[in-house]
Amino acid sequence: KQEVTQIPAALSVPEGENLVLNCSFTDSAIYNLQWFRQDPGKGLTSLLLIQSSQREQTSGRLNASLDKSSGRSTLYIAASQPGDSATYLCAVRRYSGGGADGLTFGKGTHLIIQP
Amino acid sequence: DGGITQSPKYLFRKEGQNVTLSCEQNLNHDAMYWYRQDPGQGLRLIYYSQIVNDFQKGDIAEGYSVSREKKESFPLTVTSAQKNPTAFYLCASSITGPGNTIYFGEGSWLTVV
């Protein structure tokens, strides 16, 4: 059974710092890995999608890497801002019988950027 | 605007009642999903549907039921058989195919009183 772990569970840093969020998964047979942002009481916003054949994806100040063989992904946030404060979720798209079904999620990293 | 609409945002249910959460999308996506989120837990998959009139159980389907009569709609019924239904419920959709991004609605809060 696929398990996804995110470290750290919570992180508080001053504004302007670069930071790294970690995600690990136990089964390397995945289609892709997706990073999401969730604000309190809200739905999820997709940030980056990395296909299993890719090593990284970038969007603005965000960079996500994937090492499928070791079951690891990182989300790098450059020059953090208070508006980046949110919970960041990592999820892997898994195989199931005849094809892909839904995502398996980690529990998230709760990020606070101090002004 | 294209997107996924969930309703109601907040719902209170008495014990023993069934309730239905609505999910509508105008993204022309074939695949739709329902997840449950509990505090301190990751999201867990309840049901998913890859095509109209077909759906599969996810990891925690007991006590829930779904239908997929239209491409745009994937309602979730929380039945009285669900022992701990108080949670945040999220609907999602995607283009069919494993390589595609999954998009989420804003969620529905269900509380049992």
Side-chain angles (χ1 to χ4, degrees), chain B residues 29-81:
Chain B
H29 288 168
D30 286 307
M32 297 188 74
Y33 314 83
W34 274 105
Y35 290 87
R36 169 182 172 141
Q37 186 175 33
D38 295 281
Q41 304 253 0
L43 278 73
R44 292 178 290 171
L45 182 65
I46 304 172
Y47 269 98
Y48 64 102
S49 169
Q50 303 280 18
I51 196 168
V52 173
N53 292 323
D54 187 46
F55 47 83
Q56 288 77 40
K57 294 181 179 180
D59 300 317
I60 55 166
E62 184 176 353
Y64 299 97
S65 66
V66 294
S67 62
R68 187 84 189 276
E69 297 177 1
K70 299 187 300 181
K71 184 176 183 179
E72 304 80 18
S73 179
F74 191 40
L76 174 73
T77 296
V78 184
T79 75
S80 57

Side-chain angles (χ1 to χ4, degrees), chain A residues 2 25-31 52 68-71 95:
Chain A
Q2 178 75 269
F25 47 95
T26 55
D27 185 350
S28 63
I30 64 171
Y31 282 112
S52 61
K68 198 175 77 164
S69 61
S70 66
Y95 292 101

